[in-house]
Amino acid sequence: MKYILAIINIKYLIPGFINHGNFSLPRYFRKDELKRLLDEKKLIFVASTGREGSGLIADIFKGRPNTISFHERRPFCNGERLINDSLSNNLKKNKILKKKFSTIAFQIKNSHAEIYVESNHMFLKTFGKFFIKEFDNKFNLISLRRPIIKTVMSFQELNWFGKRYSRAKNWIYKVKNNTILNSNSLVLKTEVDQIMAYILNEKLNEVAFKNSATRRVNYVRLNIPPSKEDINQLFLDLDLTKDNELKVTKKKCTR
């Protein structure tokens, strides 16, 4: 038993940046300079549980003038350790999260872009929480609204809450005692129970996040899959000119 505990402790001593999704070249700015760089630009992030079509959102903005758009960009700010720290609200000294916004600023500066878009479902789980605590910049948040049964089926097909969960811990979590939903008050016997609890917890997390950033966030909703009218309304809600309107791509939504 002591050897098992030793292995667990060693795992948590390994720096989070070694996680493949978090490894990136260091690019650092002073906090005041970083805030100034981000203040001058339009920042657009996505609120999603995952498996809700965030990749489609990144494609909608690609090719738009003065815009750089990514579906997840290194550092992804994923990993079991980082997610657990976020659930415990222990993010202030995390180097990965500091590097994330330095990297965003570098990408904006290097590309001379006016708009930065990242559709990354880790925003609500990790780096978004850090952002609203450490900075006071305004930003836009697109809330994805996909039918829950479709999202549940997608998680179930991937088996992320089943036997493959050890790998899926890089992106998702199981409801625990330190989540908004307390696992002690729930009966979670099946994989579907775990999926539904996770989705509901993330939706509650989204509400709490929005309320904590009320004066800074432009919060808009988008149905998934979106119609052309949905896209047009999204651009209006984001105060993007109709002259630069994009056509709705017919890329298949996440299963």
Side-chain angles (χ1 to χ4, degrees):
M1 184 66 183
K2 65 179 181 180
Y3 296 111
I4 295 174
L5 290 173
I7 291 171
I8 293 173
N9 289 332
I10 289 172
K11 181 180 74 171
Y12 276 88
L13 289 174
I14 297 173
F17 73 85
I18 292 179
N19 179 303
H20 76 282
N22 293 329
F23 185 79
S24 63
L25 296 175
R27 300 180 178 100
Y28 295 109
F29 294 87
R30 295 191 313 273
K31 186 173 180 178
D32 58 340
E33 183 183 6
L34 181 55
K35 181 184 179 305
R36 179 183 58 78
L37 284 169
L38 297 179
D39 253 343
E40 297 170 352
K41 311 300 178 181
K42 181 184 287 288
L43 305 175
I44 301 174
F45 299 107
V46 167
S48 168
T49 65
R51 314 309 302 166
E52 287 188 307
S54 55
L56 177 67
I57 304 307
D59 287 342
I60 287 171
F61 289 91
K62 282 182 179 175
R64 189 183 187 282
N66 304 314
T67 302
I68 51 175
S69 179
F70 305 104
H71 172 227
E72 302 172 357
R73 186 71 169 177
R74 292 180 186 273
F76 299 153
C77 298
N78 61 5
E80 181 184 5
R81 179 179 179 179
L82 189 52
I83 291 173
N84 286 335
D85 283 348
S86 179
L87 292 174
S88 303
N89 292 313
N90 183 29
L91 293 174
K92 189 170 183 179
K93 296 182 180 180
N94 192 284
K95 293 182 179 180
I96 298 170
L97 302 178
K98 292 178 180 179
K99 185 188 291 187
K100 177 66 177 179
F101 289 96
S102 287
T103 302
I104 289 174
F106 176 85
Q107 290 162 344
I108 291 172
K109 188 175 182 179
N110 195 46
S111 62
H112 305 288
E114 296 298 321
I115 302 171
Y116 179 89
V117 181
E118 183 169 347
S119 57
N120 185 342
H121 70 91
M122 302 309 299
F123 181 76
L124 280 186
K125 295 186 189 73
T126 57
F127 67 99
K129 289 184 177 181
F130 176 84
F131 183 54
I132 61 173
K133 284 185 178 180
E134 295 296 310
F135 298 92
D136 59 1
N137 305 72
K138 293 183 178 180
F139 64 99
N140 300 270
L141 185 64
I142 304 172
S143 174
L144 303 188
R145 300 304 173 94
R146 187 187 189 197
I148 288 180
I149 187 62
K150 296 285 188 181
T151 307
V152 171
M153 290 172 63
S154 182
F155 276 122
Q156 197 168 20
E157 287 174 7
L158 289 171
N159 199 27
W160 277 6
F161 287 83
K163 294 179 181 179
R164 288 178 55 191
Y165 181 69
S166 59
R167 180 170 178 267
K169 287 179 181 178
N170 280 314
W171 310 290
I172 56 172
Y173 58 86
K174 288 186 176 180
V175 167
K176 306 172 185 177
N177 295 333
N178 62 338
T179 53
I180 297 176
L181 289 179
N182 190 310
S183 59
N184 285 337
S185 60
L186 301 171
V187 179
L188 305 175
K189 292 184 177 180
T190 69
E191 183 181 345
V192 173
D193 292 337
Q194 295 283 356
I195 294 169
M196 290 295 293
Y198 163 77
I199 292 173
L200 180 54
N201 197 78
E202 275 300 281
K203 295 303 181 183
L204 292 172
N205 183 35
E206 180 180 325
V207 172
F209 181 90
K210 178 174 73 76
N211 290 340
S212 67
T214 302
R215 297 181 180 179
R216 298 166 45 196
V217 61
N218 177 31
Y219 181 76
V220 301
R221 298 179 177 89
L222 181 68
N223 294 322
I224 300 294
S227 65
K228 185 173 181 178
E229 290 72 25
D230 289 331
I231 300 296
N232 291 343
Q233 186 60 51
L234 174 67
F235 278 23
L236 288 173
D237 291 341
L238 294 173
D239 196 27
L240 300 176
T241 61
K242 197 169 183 179
D243 291 341
N244 291 325
E245 178 183 310
L246 297 180
K247 295 179 180 178
V248 179
T249 58
K250 292 191 176 183
K251 180 179 177 180
K252 187 176 180 181
C253 181
T254 305
R255 289 190 306 162

